[in-house]
Amino acid sequence: MSIRNIIKIGNATLRKKSKPVTSFDEDLSTLLDDMKKTMIEKKGVGIAAVQVGVLRRAIIIEVDENEYLELINPEILKTKGSVKDSEGCLSIPDFYCDVKRPKYVQVKAFDRKGRAFTFDAKDYLARCVCHEIDHLDGILFVDYTDEGKKYRSKFEHEEG
Ligand code: NI
């Protein structure tokens, strides 16, 4: 396992849409192991493959101490409610702001062996899942609020 470099806001790769994982092979396992190690090293609670520069739909979330959830090709099936709470991101160091997210989500995903599963997440975990899935579509939490957009403008310039 190795620690990979985390790309930061301003890097155009963060805005690209990740492609579905199609081979559940050794390379995927290595990627996931490296993502996990990198996330722990950088003290994050979630990481998407794009953050280490790999445009594949894979994310890892810390659900408890030493307990991690790996979601490959995740898809939100259902959401309920809405809660505002503070968010941060390994790719946007030292900035936090409140973001509105669903209180509950139901997600379908695959594990590293290609087995499909569904699970329910609420509150903080639901927030993490939404934040990480957003990464796969090139969306960052700073996109949701005026405060975030103001911060974003220091690194990214509006197109057109
Ligand atoms: Ni993030």
Side-chain angles (χ1 to χ4, degrees):
M1 282 200 279
S2 51
I3 292 170
R4 302 205 189 183
N5 188 41
I6 291 189
I7 61 173
K8 306 282 166 33
I9 187 166
N11 183 319
T13 300
L14 275 181
R15 291 308 194 170
K16 290 186 178 153
K17 201 171 158 73
S18 296
K19 292 191 170 71
V21 169
T22 51
S23 318
F24 294 83
D25 56 9
E26 198 60 36
D27 285 351
L28 177 65
S29 286
T30 303
L31 171 66
L32 291 165
D33 290 341
D34 286 0
M35 283 165 60
K36 188 165 108 181
K37 194 167 185 190
T38 305
M39 179 183 85
I40 293 167
E41 171 74 18
K42 305 292 178 192
K43 300 186 182 355
V45 290
I47 191 168
V50 59
Q51 292 180 276
V52 296
V54 178
L55 288 165
R56 289 288 172 178
R57 304 185 79 80
I59 66 183
I60 294 181
I61 290 167
E62 187 191 70
V63 290
D64 212 335
E65 210 176 315
N66 292 316
E67 202 189 322
Y68 304 92
L69 186 62
E70 295 179 349
L71 303 178
I72 317 299
N73 300 341
E75 228 179 285
I76 293 176
L77 302 176
K78 252 189 245 174
T79 68
K80 229 189 282 175
S82 145
V83 197
K84 221 189 213 186
D85 205 349
S86 180
E87 256 175 65
C89 179
L90 289 175
S91 294
I92 310 175
D94 306 319
F95 180 77
Y96 303 87
C97 73
D98 280 0
V99 179
K100 211 195 268 180
R101 299 282 190 188
K103 184 172 170 58
Y104 159 91
V105 292
Q106 185 176 64
V107 179
K108 182 192 171 202
F110 294 86
D111 68 11
R112 65 166 71 193
K113 300 247 194 277
R115 295 174 293 213
F117 64 99
T118 56
F119 76 99
D120 301 319
K122 58 180 183 149
D123 301 321
Y124 185 67
L125 186 56
R127 173 171 302 278
C128 289
V129 168
C130 293
H131 175 117
E132 299 309 329
I133 291 178
D134 269 358
H135 272 300
L136 305 182
D137 294 316
I139 300 164
L140 300 172
F141 81 94
V142 289
D143 298 345
Y144 291 110
T145 65
D146 288 343
E147 192 190 353
K149 285 178 192 164
K150 197 177 156 199
Y151 186 79
R152 179 183 75 179
S153 68
K154 292 193 219 173
F155 305 92
E156 295 180 340
H157 301 283
E158 308 293 336
E159 309 249 327

